[in-house]
Amino acid sequence: MKLLGAKLDVDDLDPSFVHPADSNQKIHVVLDVCHMLKLVRNTLATQKIITDGNFGNIRWELIEELHKIQDEEGLRLGNRLRGAHIQWAKQKMKVNFAAQTISESVADAIEFCDLVLEIPALHDSAPTVKFIRIFDHLFDIFNSRNPYGKHYKSPLRESNKQAWQPFLTEAMQYISTLTDSCGTPMVKTKQKTGFLGFLVAIKRIECLFNKLVRNTNVSMTYLLTYKQSQDHLELFFAAIRLSGGWNKNPTATQFMAAYKRLLLRHEVSASGNCTALDATNILHAVKDTTIINHVNADIDVSDITTIRRYDLNVRLEPQQTDHDYVDAPNFNYLSSYKEAAVGYIAGYVVRMVKRSVTCESCIDALVEKDPNNTKFNSLVRQKNHGGLIEASASVYQICDCLSNFISGLGRSCQEKCIFISP
């Protein structure tokens, strides 16, 4: 990148260079934030401690302690943290593991255990919580794919610029002040790529916003950052490999044949290490024959002609090989923790019931009318940003009874060495 003219030095950051064929155009460097988030997770997990600008310690140990507590309790505090997230090295390429670890739900759970439950193992969690939230919000901003998204997942518009631009400026300053245990800035260590990648992403998104949205000569009214993701290329290359029997090094002739085959016969679909998260069409010239052969599918005359001319057959879709396995938790009892976790679950139960119940009196009986009167809704209040529901005491009692029953059943089965599948 430096040879092309891009400046990736944190002291003089300019992740773009002049187009070789058109001096009036610039090419912007894109470091995929999915991989950057994995690198940030890896760095925190291997170094154990990172220091912020206020000399606060960001500790991987707190995430491990949260998992340990949740594993012992058998209930999670509204997050997806489990053993595979802690033992990340075995599956380090999975973006969802990194995103679920460096997530606001984990930050909320750590903060709740520290400030509300006052668990000593999670004491002094403020620096770690701030670190997790900043990178989680950055990841959301750089993965916006819904024009109607809200908060940090909303598209970048001129109308909401006052919300996201100050945060990007703050995040850039925050990342620049992070240091390792020796006091060396993280953006200058050997493990700088993840942190530098986020700085590059911030610079790049600001430049593209000014060029594509604020520019009066361009008709774009908002910017969806997921369109700049590497996922689309990964899906395309996965389809190329699949056409050649997962050949990682096709010759030019093989590549041309696979390209023509995809262009004429199939839409590029998700497979392998990458999953499509939006409806972006790649090489869509003719509908996939798996869709065309469907009884109720809308078929264009041109598609039928092409199918008959080239004798196109249905290609079998690649099978998913990534399975999640159930962790058998140890059902111990801790009243304050369990009360908060069951209260959070009760709120979710109320949300699901409200979808199928039309009786207003029944709905009123499910929802707590006095939010300050229920201790079991403390986790809901901690995590609520406007969309969570506080369950009534009667709903909580039902969920609590079911939790006790399931816990007792789990202990009984463990004593008899019986494994219960979900």
Side-chain angles (χ1 to χ4, degrees):
M1 293 300 176
K2 291 182 179 179
L3 295 176
L4 292 172
K7 299 177 181 178
L8 300 182
D9 187 356
V10 66
D11 298 324
D12 186 21
L13 191 61
D14 183 13
S16 63
F17 55 90
V18 178
H19 196 293
D22 186 357
S23 59
N24 296 323
Q25 298 291 333
K26 276 192 172 184
I27 296 177
H28 296 271
V29 176
V30 177
L31 299 180
D32 195 52
V33 292
C34 294
H35 297 286
M36 297 305 105
L37 187 70
K38 289 189 293 184
L39 292 175
V40 169
R41 185 273 316 270
N42 298 353
T43 302
L44 178 60
T46 53
Q47 292 202 6
K48 302 299 182 182
I49 295 178
I50 296 176
T51 306
D52 62 18
N54 296 323
F55 303 102
N57 289 331
I58 301 157
R59 296 177 289 160
W60 174 258
E61 176 190 8
L62 298 185
I63 299 177
E64 294 178 328
E65 288 294 335
L66 176 63
H67 165 66
K68 181 180 178 181
I69 293 171
Q70 292 185 152
D71 193 50
E72 291 175 350
E73 287 299 313
L75 294 171
R76 299 189 181 98
L77 294 176
N79 59 75
R80 299 186 179 184
L81 198 64
R82 57 188 181 90
H85 296 82
I86 304 301
Q87 304 297 329
W88 56 270
K90 298 179 180 179
Q91 303 178 83
K92 63 174 65 177
M93 292 303 295
K94 291 193 175 181
V95 178
N96 61 327
F97 280 5
Q100 291 166 3
T101 303
I102 309 297
S103 66
E104 186 165 14
S105 60
V106 171
D108 289 339
I110 293 175
E111 187 177 47
F112 179 78
C113 291
D114 180 14
L115 302 181
V116 179
L117 300 182
E118 298 181 350
I119 298 176
L122 295 172
H123 179 62
D124 192 21
S125 64
T128 306
V129 169
K130 182 179 180 180
F131 176 89
I132 294 174
R133 282 179 175 157
I134 285 180
F135 279 99
D136 174 70
H137 294 164
L138 283 174
F139 186 72
D140 287 342
I141 289 176
F142 296 133
N143 278 278
S144 61
R145 54 183 180 271
N146 186 349
Y148 303 102
K150 297 180 180 180
H151 306 298
Y152 292 99
K153 296 182 180 180
S154 63
L156 304 185
R157 306 175 187 268
E158 188 68 33
S159 58
N160 64 1
K161 184 180 177 181
Q162 298 301 321
W164 56 264
Q165 190 175 50
F167 171 75
L168 291 181
T169 303
E170 177 191 353
M172 195 164 187
Q173 295 174 350
Y174 176 81
I175 295 174
S176 300
T177 60
L178 296 176
T179 61
D180 62 8
S181 57
C182 299
T184 306
M186 294 304 304
V187 292
K188 295 184 178 181
T189 62
K190 292 182 178 180
Q191 295 177 303
K192 65 181 179 181
T193 307
F195 302 93
L196 184 60
F198 273 100
L199 296 182
V200 169
I202 293 173
K203 278 284 188 179
R204 178 250 305 173
I205 208 66
E206 290 178 342
C207 293
L208 290 178
F209 179 81
N210 293 331
K211 182 178 181 180
L212 299 177
V213 179
R214 301 195 70 184
N215 190 349
T216 56
N217 297 326
V218 182
S219 59
M220 291 183 63
T221 58
Y222 58 83
L223 183 63
L224 290 174
T225 53
Y226 180 68
K227 299 297 182 182
Q228 305 158 36
S229 171
Q230 186 177 305
D231 287 2
H232 312 299
L233 278 177
E234 289 191 15
L235 293 172
F236 170 68
F237 289 137
I240 293 291
R241 289 195 298 269
L242 183 62
S243 299
W246 296 98
N247 182 8
K248 295 182 179 180
N249 297 293
T251 63
T253 303
Q254 290 172 336
F255 180 85
M256 289 175 61
Y259 184 89
K260 290 179 180 179
R261 184 168 179 262
L262 289 171
L263 188 63
L264 291 174
R265 294 182 59 181
H266 301 289
E267 298 175 15
V268 175
S269 59
S271 63
N273 188 46
C274 187
T275 303
L277 299 179
D278 66 355
T280 300
N281 288 328
I282 308 174
L283 298 181
H284 181 196
V286 179
K287 286 186 177 180
D288 196 327
T289 51
T290 58
I291 300 175
I292 293 175
N293 290 338
H294 194 274
V295 176
N296 298 322
D298 296 328
I299 307 175
D300 296 332
V301 175
S302 59
D303 287 351
I304 297 176
T305 303
T306 305
I307 293 169
R308 291 176 178 174
R309 179 180 300 173
Y310 294 98
D311 188 24
L312 305 181
N313 298 320
V314 176
R315 182 185 66 180
L316 296 177
E317 294 294 330
Q319 300 296 321
Q320 294 289 339
T321 58
D322 178 25
H323 299 283
D324 289 329
Y325 296 94
V326 177
D327 297 326
N330 180 16
F331 294 95
N332 292 330
Y333 181 82
L334 183 63
S335 59
S336 299
Y337 180 98
K338 179 185 174 184
E339 188 178 63
V342 173
Y344 184 82
I345 295 172
Y348 177 78
V349 171
V350 173
R351 176 184 291 277
M352 294 296 103
V353 172
K354 286 178 66 177
R355 293 183 178 181
S356 57
V357 175
T358 57
C359 174
E360 293 294 335
S361 300
C362 299
I363 294 176
D364 290 340
L366 299 175
V367 180
E368 178 58 43
K369 297 180 177 60
D370 186 4
N372 298 321
N373 194 33
T374 53
K375 183 180 178 182
F376 57 81
N377 281 324
S378 56
L379 177 61
V380 177
R381 289 191 288 271
Q382 177 83 12
K383 293 173 63 67
N384 192 13
H385 297 290
L388 299 181
I389 297 176
E390 296 189 21
S392 63
S394 57
V395 177
Y396 168 78
Q397 290 174 0
I398 294 173
C399 294
D400 187 42
C401 290
L402 288 173
S403 175
N404 291 333
F405 173 77
I406 294 174
S407 299
L409 182 63
R411 286 194 297 270
S412 176
C413 292
Q414 286 179 353
E415 292 173 358
K416 296 179 181 179
C417 299
I418 298 176
F419 177 78
I420 300 179
S421 60

